[in-house]
Amino acid sequence: MSTAPVLPARTDGRSTDASIAGVRRGRRGGWRFHAIMTPLSLLWIAPMIFVVFVAVRSFGDLTDRGLAALPLSIDLSGFVTVFTAGLVGEALVNSVIVTIATVFLTLLLATWAAFALSRFHIPFRRTILLVMLAGNLLPPQILLIPVARITEGLGIYDTLAALVIVQVGFGLGFYTFVLHGFMRAIPPEIFEAARVDGAGEIRTYWQLVLPLCRPSLAALAALATTWIWNDLIWALTVLRTETNFPITAALLNIQGGYVSQWNVVASGAIVAALPTAIVFFAFQRHFVSGLTLGSGK
Amino acid sequence: MPSVVWFFLLIPLAVELAWVFWPAINSFWLSLTRWNGIGDPEFIGIGNFERLLSDPIFGQAILNNVIWVIGFGGFSVIVGLSLAVALNKPRRGVGFYRSAIYLPMVFSLAVTGLFWRVIYQPDGAVNAFLGSIGLGSLETQWLANPDTALYAVLVAAVWRQVGYIMVLYLAGLKGVDPTLEEAAAVDGASPWQRFWRIVMPQLSGVNSVVFAVTVIDSLRTFDIVWAMTRGGPYNSTQLLSTYMYQTSFTVLDLGYGSAIAVVIFALAIVFIITYLARAAKED
C-alpha cells in the first residue's frame, strides 16, 4: 500500500478563481498545451492499450506475428483459460471477502479510536494518536517474520482471517489519524446539544458522529478498497495454499504456470485490474480527495 | 470519563499493539539470533549485522535502493509537479488528461509489473517501437539484461507513481495565493521566475511530505520487483525488501532476514519522524 497522508481536504472552492489568469493567456497557449498534453496522455494510456491488445489475440497469433502486432481479430481464449482453468475464480472471491471484511473492520475500529481520542480528555491522547500513525508508516518488512509466527501460534496461518486481521492492524493508525482530524472539526455545540438531549456516548457516536463523518468515510473506503485489493506482501506472508490466494498472489502464479502464453497472463492482469479501475471511475472524486487526506497544507 | 469510551479506545489500540508493535519488537530480537523457523532461535549477538557488512548481495541491494530512491523520487516528482502545474487551471481537456495520468495508480503494483513484463518482452512494444523509429540497435531483453533490468522496473514504478504525486501537488497548488502571482506578473516577472520565487516557496509543506513519502515508499518497494524480476537477473534488481523476503521465506535464514528488516527500519525511521512531525503540527 502506498503511504498516504498529508493534505487536509480543501473545500474552499478556490480552484475557480485561478481561471482568470488561465483565460487571459488561454488563446495563445491553448494549442501548445494540447500539443504537449495529448501525446503525453496517450503515452500514459499506451501500456494499458497494449496489454489489452495482447489479451484479445490468440496464442497462435502471438507466436506467429509477435507481441507487438496489432490484433486482426478478437480472440478471447486468454480470458476463457483464465476463468476455466480455475486460475482466478476462487482468487476473486477471496479478494472480495478479504477486502470487504478488512475495509469494514478497519473503518469501524478507526472510528471508535478516533471518536474516543477526539472528544474525550484521554491522557496523552496526542501521543497515542501519533504512535498509532507511526505504526502504519513502519516498513512491513520489520513485521513479516513475527506476524507469520504469531498467526502460526494462533492456528490461523494460511487462512483469510489472518490476512484480514493483519491488514486491519497495519492500516488502523492512518485511518484513525484522518478520522480524528474530521471529528475534531465538528463544532462542540453539536455535542453540547446532544448531551442536553440526554444522548449517551454510544448514541452520540452512532447517530451524530458517524453520519457527520460520512463524506470522509466514503473517501477512506474508496481508498482502502484499492489498497487492500492490491496488497501482495501480506498475502505472500500469511498464506501458503493456492486456493486461499487473493487475486494479486494468484496472478503471479498464472505468470509462473503460463510462461510465454502472454494472452493468458495479460487477460489475468486485466481481470485483476478491472475491479479497482471500476472503483476509481465510480468514485474518482472521493478517491482523489482521499489521497490527500491528512496531508497538511 | 464513561467506561464505554475506554472500550472504544482500547480495542483498536490492542489490535494495533498485537499486530504491529509487538511483531516489530520481536524482529529486533530475532535479528540477534540464528533461526531457521524450527525450534528455538539461538542468540548470536550482532553476528548477523557483521555478516551483512561483508555480504556482496546486501551491498548490491543497498546500492540499488539508493538508485531507486533517486530515480523513483526524482522522476515522479519532476513529472508529477510539472503535470500538476500544467493541469492546475481549469481549461478544456484537463479532466481527461488528469484521469489518464491517475489511472495507473489504481492498479496494484503486481498488475503494473505484469503489464510491463508483457511490454518489455523481446518482441514486445518497447523493442517494436525502437525498431520502428530506427533505433533498433538499442533493442535488448530489458528484464533479462542485468544492465537494464533495474531501470526497466523503475520506469514501470514511476509510471504508476506520477499520478499520486500529481494529486498531492494539485492539492498544494490550491492553497497557493493567486494574488501574489498576479502581482508579480504585473511587476514583469516571467512565468519561470514566478514559479520558482512565488509558487515553489508556498509548496514547501507539500515538498516535505512528498519527500518523506517517497523515501518511505522506496524502502518498502517490494511488489513490483517481485512481480517483474524477483530481484534477478544476478541480483541486479535486488532491493533491501526483496532480499529480506528471499532470505527469510525462501532460504529460511530468519535471523539474518530480520537483521535486514532492522536495517530497513533504521533507514526509514528518520523519514517517519519527519512525516510525524508534520502531521503533529497540523493536528
Side-chain angles (χ1 to χ4, degrees):
Chain A
M1 123 176 163
S2 182
T3 344
V6 204
L7 312 165
R10 284 167 183 284
T11 45
D12 55 8
R14 266 243 214 109
S15 56
T16 43
D17 54 18
S19 55
I20 304 160
V23 168
R24 200 190 301 143
R25 59 168 187 184
R27 283 284 146 71
R28 204 154 39 87
W31 70 268
R32 233 183 303 162
F33 171 72
H34 292 289
I36 296 172
M37 284 312 303
T38 305
L40 199 65
S41 306
L42 293 177
L43 187 70
W44 234 255
I45 300 171
M48 299 177 244
I49 298 192
F50 175 72
V51 173
V52 172
F53 281 173
V54 170
V56 298
R57 292 170 58 200
S58 69
F59 179 60
D61 187 37
L62 289 173
T63 35
D64 287 350
R65 301 192 300 129
L67 280 178
L70 293 175
L72 297 176
S73 61
I74 302 284
D75 175 293
L76 298 178
S77 56
F79 289 96
V80 172
T81 308
V82 161
F83 281 104
T84 55
L87 298 172
V88 299
E90 209 161 10
L92 282 173
V93 173
N94 290 337
S95 277
V96 169
I97 293 172
V98 169
T99 305
I100 291 176
T102 309
V103 171
F104 175 77
L105 284 174
T106 315
L107 290 182
L108 180 73
L109 291 181
T111 53
W112 288 0
F115 176 59
L117 289 168
S118 64
R119 308 298 341 167
F120 299 93
H121 295 286
I122 290 166
F124 303 111
R125 46 170 214 86
R126 269 173 70 85
T127 313
I128 295 174
L129 188 67
L130 288 177
V131 168
M132 287 184 79
L133 178 61
N136 179 251
L137 297 172
L138 290 179
Q141 284 75 25
I142 195 91
L143 311 177
L144 300 184
I145 295 172
V147 160
R149 195 162 72 141
I150 292 170
T151 55
E152 273 168 9
L154 293 174
I156 56 169
Y157 179 73
D158 203 20
T159 65
L160 297 185
L163 187 54
V164 170
I165 182 103
V166 166
Q167 294 192 88
V168 169
F170 193 62
L172 258 181
F174 168 66
Y175 301 104
T176 301
F177 182 79
V178 173
L179 287 167
H180 174 269
F182 275 93
M183 292 185 193
R184 289 292 278 180
I186 300 172
E189 297 79 33
I190 295 182
F191 289 94
E192 201 51 38
R195 210 174 50 81
V196 171
D197 285 351
E201 283 70 33
I202 295 182
R203 233 184 96 196
T204 309
Y205 164 80
W206 187 251
Q207 297 193 335
L208 198 64
V209 174
L210 280 193
L212 285 172
C213 285
R214 254 211 332 244
S216 49
L217 282 173
L220 285 177
L223 202 58
T225 301
T226 62
W227 281 347
I228 308 295
W229 183 276
N230 288 343
D231 159 75
L232 176 67
I233 194 158
W234 291 116
L236 292 180
T237 303
V238 299
L239 300 177
R240 181 174 40 202
T241 313
E242 281 181 26
T243 49
N244 288 337
F245 279 179
I247 186 72
T248 42
L251 202 54
L252 297 196
N253 276 357
I254 296 180
Q255 188 193 326
Y258 288 78
V259 183
S260 83
Q261 295 205 30
W262 290 108
N263 57 333
V264 178
V265 175
S267 303
I270 290 171
V271 170
L274 268 184
T276 46
I278 291 169
V279 168
F280 172 73
F281 280 118
F283 302 101
Q284 182 167 349
R285 214 165 35 87
H286 286 308
F287 184 88
V288 171
S289 69
L291 274 180
T292 59
L293 285 175
S295 70
K297 292 164 195 162
Chain B
M1 187 168 48
S3 57
V4 65
V5 173
W6 285 110
F7 175 84
F8 274 151
L9 175 67
L10 291 179
I11 290 183
L13 203 57
V15 170
E16 192 170 341
L17 283 176
W19 291 97
V20 177
F21 292 104
W22 173 242
I25 292 165
N26 265 282
S27 272
F28 283 95
W29 181 71
L30 285 175
S31 72
L32 302 174
T33 68
R34 189 189 348 249
W35 190 39
N36 61 5
I38 304 155
D40 288 328
E42 175 198 348
F43 183 79
I44 56 164
I46 58 164
N48 288 323
F49 293 94
E50 284 169 355
R51 212 175 118 197
L52 281 176
L53 290 178
S54 55
D55 179 348
I57 303 177
F58 177 72
Q60 174 85 53
I62 290 266
L63 178 67
N64 286 344
N65 244 123
V66 170
I67 295 173
W68 189 271
V69 171
I70 296 170
F72 180 71
F75 286 113
S76 35
V77 167
I78 293 169
V79 181
L81 175 59
S82 311
L83 285 170
V85 171
L87 300 176
N88 182 33
K89 305 191 170 160
R91 55 195 335 191
R92 189 176 306 165
V94 160
F96 168 77
Y97 297 140
R98 281 191 193 179
S99 299
I101 310 289
Y102 289 157
L103 192 54
M105 82 182 154
V106 305
F107 301 141
S108 65
L109 284 158
V111 164
T112 306
L114 282 201
F115 273 22
W116 284 84
R117 260 186 81 96
V118 178
I119 293 164
Y120 282 130
Q121 284 312 299
D123 59 344
V126 175
N127 281 346
F129 176 74
L130 287 174
S132 71
I133 58 168
L135 291 173
S137 58
L138 293 178
E139 287 178 27
T140 180
Q141 298 213 31
W142 297 96
L143 294 174
N145 179 347
D147 295 330
T148 56
L150 183 65
Y151 301 96
V153 178
L154 193 65
V155 166
V158 169
W159 175 70
R160 182 178 179 278
Q161 182 77 357
V162 161
Y164 176 51
I165 302 293
M166 180 172 85
V167 170
L168 292 182
Y169 276 116
L170 278 173
L173 285 170
K174 272 193 196 170
V176 168
D177 185 352
T179 56
L180 287 177
E181 220 193 323
E182 304 259 308
V186 171
D187 288 347
S190 72
W192 188 250
Q193 283 173 324
R194 292 203 302 266
F195 176 74
W196 285 107
R197 303 272 173 82
I198 312 279
V199 178
M200 220 32 193
Q202 295 184 70
L203 290 177
S204 65
V206 188
N207 283 333
S208 65
V209 164
V210 166
F211 185 68
V213 165
T214 301
V215 177
I216 295 171
D217 267 356
S218 299
L219 288 167
R220 289 174 165 195
T221 303
F222 169 83
D223 300 13
I224 195 162
V225 177
W226 200 249
M228 289 178 81
T229 62
R230 309 221 162 175
Y234 309 109
N235 296 309
S236 61
T237 57
Q238 200 73 268
L239 298 180
L240 289 171
S241 60
T242 54
Y243 189 43
M244 182 271 162
Y245 188 86
Q246 252 172 23
T247 310
S248 310
F249 296 102
T250 314
V251 187
L252 288 180
D253 196 346
L254 295 166
Y256 197 51
S258 297
I260 302 172
V262 167
V263 171
I264 297 175
F265 170 83
L267 294 173
I269 191 68
V270 180
F271 301 94
I272 293 176
I273 291 170
T274 311
Y275 187 91
L276 286 177
R278 243 205 104 59
K281 213 161 56 182
E282 259 139 44
D283 173 41

